[in-house]
Amino acid sequence: MGEPWTSASAIEAVWRVEAPRLIGGLIRFVRDVDRAEDLAQDALLVALERWPSTGIPNNPGAWLMTTAKNRAVDQSRRQVMIERKHDALKDQAEALAPAFEPADPFQDDVLRLILIACHPLLSREARVALTLRLVAGLSTLEIARAFLSTEATVAQRIVRAKRTIAEAKVPFEVPSGPELEARIGSTLEVLYLVFNEGYAASAGEDWIRPELCEEAMRLGRILVGLLPDQAEVHGLLALMELHAARIPARTHSNGDIVLLLDQDRARWDRLLMERGLAALSRAEALAQPLGPYTLQAAIAACHVRARTPEATDWPRIVALYDGLVELTGSPIVELNRAMAVAMAHGPAEALPLVEALTALEVLDGYAPLHAARGDLLYRLDRREEARRALERAAALTQNAKERSALLAKVAACVDPTGPRH
């Protein structure tokens, strides 16, 4: 056992890391999504009761799995005794024995969980919402922000997705051939959103959740090994690694945000930069035309290849965003393109592009839109308008570090002698 540690936050940190593997493994054994989640939660409750006095085990994942499986066996025993089916109890107990590794190429329960949840019976939104809930442990509110949707809508999607899987008696096995190919798009989208939540957390006290970034990259590398000829699999891995390379410089020692142009580039992770650029080269060699993840990776590469902020090839970034906007039609991509235009051609040219996006209802509650507008107005010395936009952004964000950074910009708008940002 480890040293006794009463911190609830420490137990929560362990749960964040272990929950996806725990749920994935339990689904494989009990063949039911809701029951697997219930068993995992039961194991967490036992941990919360015992670990404050005993300390966190050296292998908390195995401890949680054993506790959950024991609970499953107890439930089965009671059910079987009621029905007086002792043979069924024996079979169930053997099925729940600790043989953790499945005999197929997908020896990772988390990846298996994603692929199974991305079943064609489910809508695209339901697939991603369900897997973000199960794999990333995101709340319905966090998923709603990722979808630019409402919490109630996301909750309904998750409930319906579980019901559909149960009613259709979907086999909890990894598909193969064309059926597997059909699920890759949703799987990549899930990994992308999990990574994004780790890279810039939508809520909470921390700006970065490194464990989510690491998990998304780990699963991405598994996918690359399984699907070496899929350009977008390489493209997504490149995108994640190139962004992750900048994580060491994205915050101060106290966790406060450091913006891209202010980062100490000597702190960027050289190994991840090299790996990301190599993955991008493979994606570009395999894909014509480039897909959305490869295009985003090419944009990230422009940043990591620039030794200084001034050396950044902003016109190329704008051109890459042009292709990405054409491919996705995403208003968020249009917003990112507008900010690249501001860097390449000045804030006056970019502001009308951002103003046009404010008319879209779907982005009305999107904090980065109002923050971007505030930044552009500030750079144009329209400080009162900038202040109002930045205050709106600060009111909308649920992340404490992001709110603090935005309020600092609001203060700079109020103080005419304050520093520009």
Side-chain angles (χ1 to χ4, degrees):
M1 301 296 286
E3 291 295 325
W5 193 355
T6 59
S7 170
S9 62
I11 298 175
E12 180 185 356
V14 170
W15 175 253
R16 282 183 176 182
V17 173
E18 299 296 343
R21 296 184 183 89
L22 178 62
I23 294 172
L26 289 171
I27 286 176
R28 179 156 54 87
F29 291 117
V30 302
R31 328 296 283 185
D32 182 277
V33 175
D34 279 326
R35 189 179 176 205
E37 282 195 285
D38 289 343
L39 289 168
Q41 288 294 329
D42 287 345
L44 173 61
L45 290 175
V46 176
L48 288 169
E49 178 183 339
R50 296 184 185 176
W51 288 0
S53 58
T54 65
I56 295 176
N58 291 328
N59 189 340
W63 190 98
L64 290 165
M65 179 64 80
T66 299
T67 301
K69 284 188 168 187
N70 288 341
R71 173 72 168 166
V73 170
D74 289 342
Q75 290 176 348
S76 297
R77 181 180 292 114
R78 285 194 295 272
Q79 182 64 29
V80 170
M81 289 181 67
I82 291 171
E83 298 175 1
R84 297 186 177 278
K85 294 180 179 178
H86 298 287
D87 290 340
L89 169 61
K90 179 180 177 182
D91 293 341
Q92 180 73 5
E94 290 176 351
L96 294 171
F100 296 150
E101 296 298 327
D104 62 44
F106 291 82
Q107 294 186 1
D108 186 279
D109 278 327
V110 179
L111 183 59
R112 288 165 55 88
L113 176 57
I114 294 175
L115 287 165
I116 291 166
C118 290
H119 195 281
L121 280 173
L122 305 178
S123 68
R124 171 253 183 199
E125 292 83 2
R127 295 176 203 170
V128 179
L130 179 61
T131 44
L132 284 178
R133 183 76 185 95
L134 296 177
V135 176
L138 302 189
S139 68
T140 53
L141 180 59
E142 290 169 329
I143 299 170
R145 290 199 184 91
F147 276 124
L148 299 180
S149 185
T150 67
E151 189 173 2
T153 298
V154 169
Q156 289 173 358
R157 286 174 185 163
I158 292 172
V159 170
R160 283 198 298 265
K162 291 179 181 178
R163 185 184 303 127
T164 298
I165 288 174
E167 291 176 351
K169 294 181 170 57
V170 170
F172 291 98
E173 305 296 339
V174 174
S176 59
E179 192 177 348
L180 173 60
E181 295 284 331
R183 302 193 196 184
I184 295 304
S186 292
T187 302
L188 295 181
E189 185 171 12
V190 167
L191 296 187
Y192 177 70
L193 291 174
V194 169
F195 182 88
N196 280 349
E197 180 61 26
Y199 191 71
S202 59
E205 296 298 319
D206 298 322
W207 173 237
I208 299 171
R209 295 172 62 180
E211 74 279 3
L212 292 184
C213 295
E214 289 293 338
E215 183 68 359
M217 288 189 291
R218 184 183 71 82
L219 296 173
R221 290 171 189 135
I222 293 174
L223 273 185
V224 162
L226 293 170
L227 302 165
D229 297 327
Q230 292 272 350
E232 280 292 81
V233 176
H234 291 282
L236 176 59
L237 181 58
L239 172 62
M240 294 190 294
E241 290 181 330
L242 291 171
H243 277 304
R246 306 205 303 259
I247 286 178
R250 293 188 71 233
T251 57
H252 293 292
S253 58
N254 63 357
D256 287 348
I257 297 170
V258 181
L259 298 178
L260 173 61
L261 299 183
D262 299 324
Q263 289 171 15
D264 178 1
R265 300 187 177 213
R267 296 183 61 199
W268 289 0
D269 188 316
R270 307 301 300 182
L271 177 60
L272 279 175
M273 290 166 62
E274 292 170 4
R275 294 179 64 161
L277 291 172
L280 174 59
S281 294
R282 288 192 290 272
E284 291 174 333
L286 288 168
Q288 288 299 332
L290 301 184
Y293 298 117
T294 304
L295 281 170
Q296 290 178 78
I299 292 169
C302 291
H303 294 298
V304 302
R305 285 173 174 146
R307 293 185 178 274
T308 65
E310 295 75 23
T312 306
D313 190 349
W314 288 107
R316 172 167 169 74
I317 291 176
V318 172
L320 289 167
Y321 270 124
D322 287 340
L324 194 57
V325 167
E326 183 176 351
L327 198 60
T328 66
S330 166
I332 295 177
V333 174
E334 290 188 48
L335 175 61
N336 292 334
R337 178 189 177 277
M339 299 311 289
V341 168
M343 297 303 300
H345 307 296
E349 187 165 334
L351 183 59
L353 304 176
V354 174
E355 296 280 13
L357 293 173
T358 61
L360 299 179
E361 183 177 351
V362 70
L363 292 183
D364 183 59
Y366 188 57
L369 172 63
H370 301 285
R373 182 170 175 269
D375 280 339
L376 295 176
L377 289 166
Y378 188 100
R379 291 170 61 185
L380 292 169
D381 283 326
R382 294 163 58 177
R383 292 203 174 196
E384 178 56 27
E385 294 172 88
R387 180 188 63 79
R388 291 197 297 269
L390 292 167
E391 284 180 341
R392 178 80 188 282
L396 288 169
T397 185
Q398 298 298 311
N399 183 278
K401 295 297 183 183
E402 187 177 18
R403 184 183 304 109
S404 177
L406 289 166
L407 291 176
K409 293 180 179 183
V410 170
C413 292
V414 174
D415 181 4
T417 63
R420 293 182 63 87
H421 57 267

